[in-house]
Amino acid sequence: MQIDKVIYRKANLNDSIAEITRAIYLTDDYIYPALHNIYEEFLDCIRESLIDKNSVFCIDNLLVAEYEGKIIALACVIKGKKDYHFCDKYSQNYSIVNDGYFKPLCDEAKKTQGYRVVNFCVLPEYRGNGVSTGLI
């Protein structure tokens, strides 16, 4: 499929939480399904994280690619010199993700002045069209 007129921008709270959640969920087909056998639980976690300024998935950290009014790609980029965490509401269930994945990424980012991409996804049906290049 050839696509054009993709809009690249920062995410905002008017964006579809369901579309943002789907993109994040699809970034890892093992971790998120393993932690959230109920997709609605993950949706709730992301909804909470979007408004939490210290969450990895805070809306301020998300860049999106939009095509025909739909979010087709997402990048989560965190800035150095700041403490971040994953979804507090379910943190007791996330020791593998917090301690083994996000914590090391966030700790390393905290030591730097720059930015770090910690999550990136182009929806499968839009891959191969240069969307990831445009988003970066």
Side-chain angles (χ1 to χ4, degrees):
M1 156 185 16
Q2 180 66 25
I3 62 172
D4 58 352
K5 298 185 182 174
V6 176
I7 299 168
Y8 301 98
R9 60 178 177 77
K10 289 190 65 94
N12 64 68
L13 292 174
N14 294 321
D15 287 324
S16 166
I17 294 172
E19 289 177 9
I20 289 172
T21 301
R22 178 174 182 239
I24 294 169
Y25 198 76
L26 289 174
T27 59
D28 191 308
D29 59 1
Y30 172 73
I31 289 179
Y32 298 124
L35 292 173
H36 300 279
N37 55 1
I38 301 171
Y39 182 77
E40 288 72 25
E41 180 182 290
F42 188 66
L43 182 65
D44 187 43
C45 177
I46 296 303
R47 183 179 292 115
E48 176 186 293
S49 296
L50 291 174
I51 59 172
D52 180 347
K53 293 292 185 189
N54 294 314
S55 170
V56 170
F57 292 119
C58 173
I59 197 75
D60 296 338
N61 299 335
L62 303 180
L63 304 172
V64 297
E66 180 183 330
Y67 178 65
E68 296 182 344
K70 177 182 173 185
I71 293 173
I72 62 167
L74 177 138
C76 179
V77 183
I78 59 174
K79 186 176 181 179
K81 301 294 183 190
K82 182 175 177 182
D83 285 318
Y84 291 97
H85 60 86
F86 189 58
C87 184
D88 275 347
K89 186 172 187 176
Y90 300 104
S91 61
Q92 67 277 10
N93 299 332
Y94 296 139
S95 62
I96 292 169
V97 174
N98 278 330
D99 299 338
Y101 182 70
F102 282 113
K103 187 175 183 326
L105 282 173
C106 295
D107 287 349
E108 189 62 32
K110 190 166 60 172
K111 296 175 189 174
T112 66
Q113 294 288 343
Y115 294 85
R116 182 166 295 226
V117 176
V118 294
N119 207 294
F120 196 96
C121 180
V122 176
L123 298 183
E125 59 269 31
Y126 295 98
R127 293 177 185 164
N129 287 291
V131 176
S132 59
T133 302
L135 192 54
I136 289 297

